[in-house]
């Protein structure tokens, strides 16, 4: 659902947001913003941690640091990225 919301934001604003909070609030004041882009608050990862989001406006990276919530790790603690 986050990927869909990010893509919808990009279609409206011609770039990905600087932060996930922009999916919920029009922080730029732009008339092109057509959100909120999520029905509920920004979801946590499957372990209850915040996702790590980075964007240069043209591309984005969305990462879960796994069960331990710390970068790196193996098995359930491994990072998962999109």
């Amino acid at each position: 659902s986050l990927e869909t919301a990010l893509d919808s934001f990009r279609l409206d604003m011609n770039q990905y947001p600087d932060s996930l909070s922009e999916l919920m609030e029009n922080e730029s004041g732009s008339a092109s913003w057509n959100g909120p882009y999520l029905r509920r608050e920004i979801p946590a990862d499957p372990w209850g941690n915040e996702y790590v989001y980075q964007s240069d406006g043209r591309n984005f990276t969305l990462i879960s640091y796994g069960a331990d919530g710390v970068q790196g790790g193996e098995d359930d603690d491994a990072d998962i990225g999109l």
Side-chain angles (χ1 to χ4, degrees), residues 42-77:
I42 298 166
D45 73 8
W47 296 277
N49 301 312
E50 290 185 14
Y51 284 100
V52 176
Y53 171 78
Q54 298 171 332
S55 176
D56 63 3
R58 298 175 74 186
N59 300 291
F60 72 88
T61 303
L62 191 62
I63 300 171
S64 165
Y65 284 154
D68 64 356
V70 178
Q71 187 175 7
E74 297 177 8
D75 301 319
D76 285 344
D77 294 335

